[in-house]
Amino acid sequence: MRVIAGLSLRMATGLRDIVFPPGCAHCHVRTELHGALCPACWSKLRFIERPFCEILGTPFGYDPGAGMLSAEAIANPPVFDRLRSVAVHEGIARDLVHNLKYRDRTDLAPMMAEWMVRAGGEALSACDCIVPVPLHRSRLFGRMFNQSAELARHAARLSGKAFEPLALVRRKRTSQQVGLTANARELNVRGAFVVPESRASAVFGRRIVLIDDVYTTGATVSSATRALKKAGATDVTVLTFARAFSGPI
């Protein structure tokens, strides 16, 4: 039976590749595999690699040694324990995020999540569960899916970690963060999240990886982290696909 099942799978895959030939997830040029970028697009992604700040994940222009923190992390420590991101939010990385979020390209989520698992590294290996930043139910109804939950679901599958999509609820319908100042973003999401009593055991005493698509000012994930820590989470790592920077890096 296993041989027959394997043969059927290969035949189905071959038929799919004939009907829908593999193409670059960004520019659609022919590629060898589905869910991948062509060499030209891959070379244009600005991955965030070490050396970087151990807390904020901000890249350093030189290697200051292990465990070093950025001036921002020292002067204004975040409420979460650490931030990790795959790439700088520009060019192709920005397009991938927008295509997933606004153009219903949920087929991009497995590829993006695979890179996020790599970026999550030790923090993801050490966590107890993965929690997505939730949408308010009215916005979820309009969009029909939560891009952060899609990324988190695939990251959980790839890493073998528990997926807790209901551990955090957005109880306040907030305005779109795009176009708001940093202070306005913080006010907009203040008190927006809560851990339901029914899911308290999924959070209390646990190390959590909180997943979102983009980190901009940190207002949204900071508000979400406060709710998780109020419910007893011992450690929160924020993991995003892209990271926006206000200046050159």
Side-chain angles (χ1 to χ4, degrees), residues 82-121:
R82 66 198 60 80
L83 167 67
R84 298 291 183 264
S85 302
V86 174
V88 178
H89 189 238
E90 63 179 21
I92 291 172
R94 183 178 59 238
D95 290 345
L96 291 174
V97 168
H98 284 195
N99 287 340
L100 169 63
K101 189 171 184 176
Y102 300 118
R103 297 177 182 172
D104 300 336
R105 289 288 309 278
T106 54
D107 59 292
L108 297 174
M111 176 186 72
M112 296 165 71
E114 186 172 356
W115 296 339
M116 292 173 72
V117 168
R118 175 178 175 273

Side-chain angles (χ1 to χ4, degrees), residues 4 12 104 157 220 226 240:
I4 295 174
D104 300 336
R157 174 180 57 81
T220 298
R226 289 188 183 95
T240 70

Side-chain angles (χ1 to χ4, degrees), residues 148-187:
S148 298
E150 285 297 298
L151 294 170
R153 179 169 65 88
H154 288 289
R157 174 180 57 81
L158 292 166
S159 63
K161 298 296 181 176
F163 176 44
E164 295 288 351
L166 302 179
L168 194 62
V169 172
R170 191 185 291 248
R171 61 182 175 183
K172 171 184 170 185
R173 181 185 169 94
T174 56
S175 302
Q176 290 281 1
Q177 294 281 70
V178 177
L180 298 181
T181 64
N183 288 339
R185 284 171 178 256
E186 184 176 349
L187 290 172

Side-chain angles (χ1 to χ4, degrees), residues 1-248:
M1 291 297 293
R2 290 183 179 178
V3 174
I4 295 174
L7 180 60
S8 298
L9 179 61
R10 287 195 295 272
M11 290 176 64
T13 300
L15 180 60
R16 179 202 63 183
D17 290 348
I18 292 173
V19 178
F20 302 105
C24 174
H26 181 255
C27 73
H28 310 299
V29 70
R30 287 288 298 271
T31 55
E32 183 178 349
L33 300 171
H34 288 279
L37 295 178
C38 68
C41 289
W42 176 269
S43 67
K44 295 174 184 175
L45 272 175
R46 291 184 64 191
F47 289 101
I48 298 174
E49 303 280 2
R50 290 187 181 277
F52 52 60
C53 169
E54 288 300 320
I55 292 180
L56 288 177
T58 306
F60 291 124
Y62 62 96
D63 190 352
M68 289 299 293
L69 304 182
S70 63
E72 182 183 2
I74 295 171
N76 188 25
V79 294
F80 48 81
D81 294 275
R82 66 198 60 80
L83 167 67
R84 298 291 183 264
S85 302
V86 174
V88 178
H89 189 238
E90 63 179 21
I92 291 172
R94 183 178 59 238
D95 290 345
L96 291 174
V97 168
H98 284 195
N99 287 340
L100 169 63
K101 189 171 184 176
Y102 300 118
R103 297 177 182 172
D104 300 336
R105 289 288 309 278
T106 54
D107 59 292
L108 297 174
M111 176 186 72
M112 296 165 71
E114 186 172 356
W115 296 339
M116 292 173 72
V117 168
R118 175 178 175 273
E122 294 179 1
L124 189 56
S125 297
C127 81
D128 298 301
C129 64
I130 294 175
V131 176
V133 171
L135 290 176
H136 188 268
R137 60 182 179 274
S138 60
R139 186 158 291 147
L140 180 61
F141 179 78
R143 190 177 294 172
M144 301 306 294
F145 75 98
N146 176 3
Q147 74 281 354
S148 298
E150 285 297 298
L151 294 170
R153 179 169 65 88
H154 288 289
R157 174 180 57 81
L158 292 166
S159 63
K161 298 296 181 176
F163 176 44
E164 295 288 351
L166 302 179
L168 194 62
V169 172
R170 191 185 291 248
R171 61 182 175 183
K172 171 184 170 185
R173 181 185 169 94
T174 56
S175 302
Q176 290 281 1
Q177 294 281 70
V178 177
L180 298 181
T181 64
N183 288 339
R185 284 171 178 256
E186 184 176 349
L187 290 172
N188 187 40
V189 295
R190 182 174 293 175
F193 302 97
V194 66
V195 174
E197 285 189 20
S198 62
R199 303 306 302 160
S201 61
V203 172
F204 186 80
R206 308 192 81 186
R207 299 173 65 91
I208 292 172
V209 168
L210 177 67
I211 285 189
D212 205 0
D213 53 351
V214 182
Y215 182 96
T216 307
T217 64
T220 298
V221 293
S222 293
S223 180
T225 297
R226 289 188 183 95
L228 291 170
K229 291 207 168 184
K230 183 178 180 181
T234 58
D235 186 277
V236 177
T237 295
V238 173
L239 177 59
T240 70
F241 178 76
R243 167 88 184 272
F245 293 92
S246 58

